């Protein structure tokens, strides 16, 4: 280690990340102490990394962080995540940010202060490229003054912000490409909760745990859209056909409008969602280049609706990954076998097939068999199922019959890697 340049030692310490580990390592010798002071790039204070953080008094913790930070120069990455820690002095936290802001490229910030500080005023007009903000409030955004000219990634978790300030904040980030909104507290001036966002550079958006009347997103360059655990009356996407990845997970939407943005979709992933298959299919049917389709635990508006494999094979010829899960009860037997597997078209390019059911029975076995026959170039099959802890003799016999049938089926497809995942 004596032959390592001090700059290399600085890179090693930067990969440690956690402030406690960096402090211990820097005490090894003078050279490592110099590397910590002059060549350390990243530093993290996380209350989950070291339980002692939560045992220290707030004033003692402030002193510890201050002493450590002020021994460094030119930090590029700073993470201060203080969950379950009392409020810090606003003046102390401002001093931390003022000392590091000119060189910072990314900042993870979850600090409660009294009074609340405006992080946009402090970190705006600097080199920041990534900002992850949690458990704070943002208000009075001035996009002409609080500019983030280099910011490409913004994450707001449990942040209080008005719909207007949220859109203004995007306006203040002319190069933003990634946006994540997790359970934000949207302050509204009227009874109807509406959020309208506009960005010409945004490429990826993740939205979780939001309950609104209307969410309107205008993003000409959007490629990735992921909605999770949301309740929306209207979600509207206005784009220019750049969307490639579309995922919905446990979302309630009365009206979903993505316009012409889905023509170039490559991946569609829908789970725990109620859909009208005919309308949903009409929405994605123009995506002839789609390579991955996942419909998992979906509920259909109409009881007799079912995903038509024939239609999927004809409309998505480049599909190589298909994942479908149903509630294959006995009373749905006729519908599943007649509508789901009708036609003769093959899924020529599907090499990965995932099939799941909440019930392991003969219908599921026949369904798996029918879909295997439609995938001549399959290389991997994953079977998902649910097994209750308490099983009746009938359920045990059904599971035994399913196992025997699958073993016989696998013998005919020795080239296929078969995996089982049961809950």
């Amino acid at each position: 280690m004596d032959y390592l340049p001090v700059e290399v030692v600085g890179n090693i310490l930067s990969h440690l990340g956690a402030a406690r580990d960096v402090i211990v390592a820097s005490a090894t010798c003078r050279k490592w102490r110099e590397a910590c002071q002059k060549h350390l790039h990243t530093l993290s204070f996380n209350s989950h990394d070291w339980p002692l953080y939560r045992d220290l008094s707030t004033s003692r913790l402030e002193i510890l962080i201050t002493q450590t930070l002020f021994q460094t120069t030119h930090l590029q990455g700073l993470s201060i995540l203080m969950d379950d820690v009392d409020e810090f002095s606003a003046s102390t936290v401002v001093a931390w940010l003022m000392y590091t802001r000119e060189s910072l490229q990314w900042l993870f910030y979850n600090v409660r202060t009294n009074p609340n500080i405006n992080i946009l005023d402090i970190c705006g007009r600097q080199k920041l490229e990534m900002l992850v903000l949690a458990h704070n409030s943002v208000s009075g955004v001035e996009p002409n003054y609080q500019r983030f000219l280099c910011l490409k990634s913004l994450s707001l978790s449990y942040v209080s912000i008005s719909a207007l300030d949220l859109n203004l904040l995007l306006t203040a980030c002319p190069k933003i490409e990634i946006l994540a909104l997790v359970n934000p507290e949207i302050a509204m001036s009227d009874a109807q909760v509406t959020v309208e966002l506009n960005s010409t550079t945004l490429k990826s958006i993740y939205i979780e745990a939001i309950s609104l009347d209307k969410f309107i997103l205008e993003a000409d360059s959007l490629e990735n859209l992921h909605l999770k655990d949301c309740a929306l009356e209207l979600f509207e996407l206005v784009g220019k056909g750049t969307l490639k990845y579309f995922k919905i997970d446990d979302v309630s939407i009365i009206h979903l409008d993505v316009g012409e943005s889905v023509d170039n979709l490559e991946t569609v992933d829908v789970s725990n969602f109620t859909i009208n298959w005919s309308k949903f299919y009409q929405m994605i049917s123009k995506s002839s280049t789609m390579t991955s389709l996942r419909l998992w635990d979906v509920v259909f508006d109409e009881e007799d609706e079912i995903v038509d494999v024939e239609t999927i094979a004809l409309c998505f010829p480049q599909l190589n990954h298909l994942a479908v899960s149903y509630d294959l009860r006995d009373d749905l037997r006729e519908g599943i076998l007649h509508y789901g597997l009708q036609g003769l078209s093959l899924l020529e390019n599907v090499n990965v097939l995932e099939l799941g059911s909440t019930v392991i029975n003969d219908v599921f076995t026949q369904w798996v068999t029918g879909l295997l026959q439609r995938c001549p170039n399959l290389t991997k099959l994953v079977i998902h199922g649910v097994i209750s802890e308490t099983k009746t003799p009938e359920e045990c016999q059904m599971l035994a019959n399913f196992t025997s049938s699958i073993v016989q089926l696998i013998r005919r497809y020795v080239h296929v890697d078969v995996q089982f995942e049961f809950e």
Side-chain angles (χ1 to χ4, degrees):
M1 298 297 287
D2 294 338
Y3 299 100
L4 288 178
V6 68
E7 295 85 359
V8 174
V9 176
N11 285 329
I12 295 174
L13 294 176
S14 297
H15 281 83
L16 292 178
R20 180 194 61 171
D21 297 335
V22 172
I23 293 173
V24 172
S26 65
T28 304
C29 62
R30 182 183 301 175
K31 184 176 185 179
W32 282 56
R33 187 161 54 251
E34 180 186 354
C36 178
Q37 294 172 349
K38 297 181 180 180
H39 300 285
L40 188 68
H41 305 308
T42 63
L43 195 58
S44 172
F45 300 90
N46 191 329
S47 57
H48 294 292
D49 289 343
W50 191 26
L52 186 59
Y53 279 135
R54 293 191 289 270
D55 297 333
L56 296 174
S57 65
T58 304
S59 58
R60 183 71 185 94
L61 192 52
E62 288 178 358
I63 293 173
L64 178 64
I65 295 176
T66 301
Q67 289 177 337
T68 306
L69 272 180
F70 280 43
Q71 289 179 13
T72 67
T73 56
H74 308 297
L75 274 182
Q76 297 175 8
L78 174 62
S79 177
I80 309 177
L81 305 176
M82 291 292 149
D83 285 326
D84 304 322
V85 176
D86 291 336
E87 294 178 335
F88 287 85
S89 167
S91 59
T92 302
V93 177
V94 168
W96 299 343
L97 297 175
M98 292 291 288
Y99 180 77
T100 57
R101 66 175 185 173
E102 291 186 4
S103 59
L104 279 186
Q105 294 181 10
W106 57 264
L107 172 64
F108 287 61
Y109 181 84
N110 178 9
V111 182
R112 296 175 177 85
T113 61
N114 185 22
N116 185 59
I117 65 174
N118 192 332
I119 196 169
L120 302 184
D121 281 344
I122 300 173
C123 296
R125 308 175 309 282
Q126 303 297 328
K127 300 177 181 178
L128 209 59
E129 297 180 7
M130 176 188 292
L131 174 60
V132 178
L133 187 63
H135 294 102
N136 275 264
S137 62
V138 175
S139 61
V141 178
E142 295 288 346
N144 293 327
Y145 173 68
Q146 298 162 331
R147 300 282 285 177
F148 289 84
L149 298 177
C150 301
L151 197 71
K152 294 182 179 180
S153 178
L154 173 65
S155 175
L156 303 177
S157 300
Y158 303 92
V159 170
S160 176
I161 187 171
S162 71
L164 176 60
D165 280 333
L166 182 56
N167 193 40
L168 290 175
L169 182 54
L170 281 188
T171 304
C173 307
K175 294 184 179 180
I176 189 167
E177 296 181 358
I178 301 172
L179 174 64
L181 301 173
V182 178
N183 200 12
E185 181 182 339
I186 306 294
M188 302 301 301
S189 57
D190 53 32
Q192 189 177 56
V193 185
T194 302
V195 170
E196 296 186 34
L197 301 181
N198 298 273
S199 174
T200 59
T201 60
L202 193 64
K203 293 183 178 180
S204 176
I205 184 168
Y206 173 78
I207 304 172
E208 179 181 347
I210 287 184
S211 180
L212 298 171
D213 293 328
K214 295 181 180 180
F215 196 112
I216 302 173
L217 174 63
E218 186 173 346
D220 294 342
S221 304
L222 194 69
E223 297 179 0
N224 296 274
L225 171 61
H226 185 177
L227 304 177
K228 181 179 180 181
D229 192 22
C230 297
L232 305 167
E233 289 190 13
L234 167 69
F235 182 87
E236 181 179 353
L237 173 62
V238 181
K240 292 186 176 180
T242 57
L243 193 65
K244 296 180 179 179
Y245 180 91
F246 181 35
K247 183 172 183 178
I248 301 177
D249 182 8
D250 196 13
V251 173
S252 172
I253 300 179
I254 297 177
H255 183 65
L256 175 64
D257 183 5
V258 292
E260 302 298 323
S261 302
V262 295
D263 291 357
N264 296 304
L265 274 176
E266 296 177 1
T267 299
V268 173
D269 187 338
V270 180
S271 58
N272 301 296
F273 186 61
T274 300
I275 64 174
N276 181 300
W277 172 245
S278 59
K279 291 182 179 179
F280 188 79
Y281 166 72
Q282 185 178 7
M283 182 180 71
I284 65 173
S285 60
K286 296 180 181 179
S287 308
S288 58
T289 58
M290 188 184 301
T291 58
S292 178
L293 175 62
R294 183 174 185 266
L295 301 173
W296 210 258
D297 292 335
V298 296
V299 178
F300 297 100
D301 280 343
E302 302 294 336
E303 290 186 359
D304 58 350
E305 268 190 320
I306 200 66
V307 176
D308 184 357
V309 176
E310 176 79 3
T311 303
I312 291 177
L314 293 174
C315 291
F316 309 121
Q318 297 185 34
L319 201 66
N320 57 50
H321 184 183
L322 176 63
V324 188
S325 171
Y326 285 134
D327 181 1
L328 297 182
R329 296 167 296 176
D330 287 333
D331 57 349
L332 295 178
R333 178 185 184 122
E334 182 179 353
I336 291 292
L337 296 181
H338 179 67
Y339 294 104
L341 299 175
Q342 67 178 350
L344 299 174
S345 298
L346 300 178
L347 296 161
E348 294 279 0
N349 292 313
V350 171
N351 50 55
V352 178
L353 181 64
E354 295 188 59
L355 302 175
S357 173
T358 55
V359 180
I360 302 298
N361 56 13
D362 293 339
V363 178
F364 186 38
T365 304
Q366 295 178 51
W367 187 55
V368 172
T369 303
L371 279 170
L372 267 175
Q373 294 171 352
R374 305 288 284 273
C375 304
N377 297 308
L378 194 68
T379 59
K380 181 178 180 180
L381 170 66
V382 183
I383 297 177
H384 300 258
V386 177
I387 300 178
S388 60
E389 294 183 4
T390 304
K391 291 179 283 294
T392 64
E394 291 78 10
E395 289 175 329
C396 291
Q397 185 60 49
M398 191 179 298
L399 183 59
N401 293 339
F402 171 77
T403 303
S404 299
S405 300
I406 292 298
V407 169
Q408 295 177 14
L409 182 63
I410 292 174
R411 288 172 178 170
R412 302 205 305 265
Y413 296 91
V414 294
H415 62 285
V416 177
D417 176 22
V418 181
Q419 300 178 9
F420 297 88
E421 294 187 11
F422 290 103
E423 297 179 10

